[in-house]
Amino acid sequence: MLSTKIFGEELRKQGFTFYSGVPCSFLKSLINYAINELEYVAAANEGDAVAIASGAYLGGKKSVVLMQNSGLTNAVSPLTSLNYSFRIPILGFVSLRGEPGIPDEPQHELMGKITTQMLELMQIGWEYLSENIHEAREQLVRANEAIDNQKSYFFVVRKGTFDSEALKNQTQSVSQNYEKKTKRHDDQSPSRYEALATINALRDQNTVQLATTGMTGRELYEIEDAACNLYMVGSMGCVGSLGLGLAMSQPQKNIIVIDGDGSLLMRMGSLATNGYYHPNNMLHILLDNHVHDSTGGQNTVSHNMDFINIAASCGYARSIYVHNLQELKEEITAWKFNQTHTFLYMNISRKASELTGRPKIKPYEVKERLRQNIKNATTEVILTEKHSKKHFAQSGTGYNDEKC
């Protein structure tokens, strides 16, 4: 049996400090350790956990996901179309419920037989995690090498692998909505292209824009291909969770998540997670045209939804109905000035741009470019702070590093 604390410290030494996941009894000790000692984001589902961890990786953090093997099926979409396509590596721990020959609940029987086959089909390297700490250290070295080569790596965890780690007292933060504006007059219903152009025109050097899959990403690319943009492919519904991970790992950056109705409806549990952790540097914009535009214009059910009240009840500090492009501009400007976790909803027309093609830059190139952009911006901030400290010290203003 592994000492959870010692193994957790070995993970920390390798640089893994950001965790996200969904509980499993086989992994509860490692989850407890992450909650007690590190940064852990409790996701609504396993696919969201993968996206959250991936967002943290974009922000420069080595990330871990924890899940039951039944939830591995829920993570297939982001693992195959987000992590694989963008070459975003994460370290995964998946339990082996339903292991052949070991009594378990009937719902785990099939997954116990096919868990490792699924990992192989997804071209994810994996090992059974050893209960011997010396062997486990060697396994972590191999896993870390895979991560450095931009490949995800998973450990399959059998029952009784980790020793007990007590969960310390948890303090639950309370996220509350304090400003809500519902529909007050008729909608302008501009095209998505016009809305994206308005959003992009307000972008500054401190802004990152994440555009959901389909026409949203394609049209943003047509408007301006920038190093601070990410155009989602596949992994539908994951852009909000990706934004959460990035916002939490890069609190000094302005993270704008541009979502669509079909996408958000697919993973609405992410709203509750985003609202609970409520990073003030994250702006979530929903452009709702009530259809699946890139697949033929089939109706969604968004006409029957009240996204403003839903976001407000999930804990977004501000949940605002936007009627026209001028209001959109005003609300984005207000968010940048006030830095409060905000959800904006806007009805758009069903008309797509006739100019829309697919990005000519590959997803993994988009990822590398974005990470470098974030890294360069962070370096500039550090250099600016150092220069400011030197200036204050030389000017005799009594600048104190310990207070800044």
Side-chain angles (χ1 to χ4, degrees):
M1 185 175 287
L2 275 176
S3 165
T4 304
K5 195 174 295 294
I6 292 175
F7 184 75
E9 288 304 307
E10 291 296 326
L11 279 166
R12 193 204 295 256
K13 290 177 185 177
Q14 295 283 0
F16 295 98
T17 58
F18 188 97
Y19 289 65
S20 185
V22 178
C24 174
S25 59
F26 288 14
L27 296 172
K28 62 183 179 183
S29 292
L30 187 56
I31 293 172
N32 290 352
Y33 170 83
I35 294 172
N36 292 342
E37 306 294 338
L38 299 167
E39 191 170 14
Y40 179 83
V41 177
N45 60 65
E46 294 78 7
D48 287 353
V50 169
I52 292 166
S54 299
Y57 173 83
L58 290 177
K61 292 194 175 183
K62 294 170 72 172
S63 304
V64 178
V65 291
L66 304 158
M67 67 185 74
Q68 189 177 102
N69 56 347
S70 59
L72 180 61
T73 58
N74 206 357
V76 167
S77 175
L79 284 172
T80 56
S81 58
L82 174 62
N83 299 87
Y84 180 86
S85 301
F86 284 92
R87 297 182 187 172
I88 297 176
I90 53 173
L91 179 62
F93 289 81
V94 58
S95 65
L96 189 59
R97 297 296 303 268
E99 182 176 3
I102 298 179
D104 207 330
E105 299 297 324
Q107 67 268 25
H108 299 303
E109 181 179 355
L110 179 58
M111 276 306 301
K113 296 176 182 178
I114 67 173
T115 295
T116 58
Q117 296 174 48
M118 286 183 63
L119 292 171
E120 289 170 359
L121 284 171
M122 291 188 288
Q123 300 181 28
I124 295 174
W126 67 274
E127 297 182 51
Y128 291 112
L129 183 61
S130 174
E131 295 182 21
N132 180 288
I133 187 59
H134 302 292
E135 294 177 357
R137 285 194 183 103
E138 294 176 357
Q139 290 180 310
L140 281 180
V141 170
R142 290 192 290 273
N144 198 43
E145 289 175 352
I147 299 296
D148 288 342
N149 288 319
Q150 301 184 22
K151 296 179 180 179
S152 293
Y153 205 86
F154 269 61
F155 288 118
V156 179
V157 181
R158 293 185 165 108
K159 185 177 182 179
T161 296
F162 290 106
D163 72 358
S164 178
E165 174 75 10
L167 184 62
K168 296 178 182 178
N169 290 333
Q170 300 179 79
T171 57
Q172 287 188 320
S173 66
V174 178
S175 51
Q176 292 182 328
N177 172 262
Y178 73 85
E179 185 177 5
K180 181 175 67 177
K181 294 180 181 178
T182 56
K183 184 173 181 178
R184 301 174 298 285
H185 48 79
D186 291 340
D187 294 312
Q188 182 187 54
S189 297
S191 67
R192 179 175 42 240
Y193 193 93
E194 291 172 317
L196 290 171
T198 299
I199 296 167
N200 188 69
L202 296 171
R203 176 176 59 80
D204 55 34
Q205 292 182 341
N206 199 42
T207 300
V208 174
Q209 298 179 144
L210 308 178
T212 192
T213 189
M215 292 297 187
T216 305
R218 297 181 204 174
E219 290 188 2
L220 181 60
Y221 174 81
E222 292 291 341
I223 291 166
E224 183 182 10
D225 179 30
C228 61
N229 289 348
L230 185 137
Y231 319 107
M232 290 283 276
V233 296
S235 52
M236 188 170 172
C238 289
V239 71
S241 297
L242 188 77
L244 174 65
L246 179 54
M248 293 180 70
S249 64
Q250 285 287 331
Q252 78 280 5
K253 300 289 288 185
N254 290 330
I255 310 302
I256 297 181
V257 174
I258 310 170
D259 218 335
D261 47 301
S263 170
L264 186 52
L265 285 167
M266 186 170 284
R267 291 185 181 270
M268 285 184 65
S270 64
L271 287 175
T273 307
N274 292 350
Y276 178 78
Y277 290 97
H278 58 273
N280 290 329
N281 61 322
M282 177 178 168
L283 172 64
H284 195 168
I285 303 174
L286 175 58
L287 302 179
D288 187 357
N289 65 352
H290 310 289
V291 294
H292 294 288
D293 201 0
S294 64
T295 56
Q298 302 89 353
N299 288 338
T300 68
V301 298
S302 65
H303 67 282
N304 204 39
M305 308 299 295
D306 185 347
F307 285 107
I308 294 299
N309 277 306
I310 292 171
S313 66
C314 285
Y316 280 75
R318 300 179 71 244
S319 186
I320 310 296
Y321 194 109
V322 174
H323 303 83
N324 53 57
L325 295 175
Q326 180 60 31
E327 286 185 8
L328 179 62
K329 180 179 179 179
E330 291 170 357
E331 291 297 342
I332 294 173
T333 302
W335 166 72
K336 287 187 175 183
F337 181 77
N338 295 319
Q339 284 290 285
T340 303
H341 191 223
T342 299
F343 179 87
L344 301 181
Y345 174 89
M346 185 177 195
N347 261 312
I348 59 172
S349 70
R350 299 189 178 196
K351 183 180 179 181
S353 170
E354 296 179 357
L355 303 174
T356 306
R358 295 181 184 274
K360 296 178 175 60
I361 182 171
K362 295 185 182 300
Y364 66 87
E365 294 172 334
V366 171
K367 178 263 298 185
E368 286 299 328
R369 187 177 67 175
L370 176 58
R371 291 194 83 212
Q372 190 61 47
N373 176 268
I374 292 172
K375 182 178 180 181
N376 291 343
T378 302
T379 301
E380 289 177 9
V381 169
I382 293 172
L383 291 175
T384 300
E385 289 176 347
K386 287 183 177 179
H387 175 75
S388 297
K389 291 178 183 180
K390 183 178 179 180
H391 170 74
F392 276 108
Q394 291 175 343
S395 62
T397 54
Y399 191 96
N400 189 334
D401 281 346
E402 294 179 356
K403 295 182 179 180
C404 301

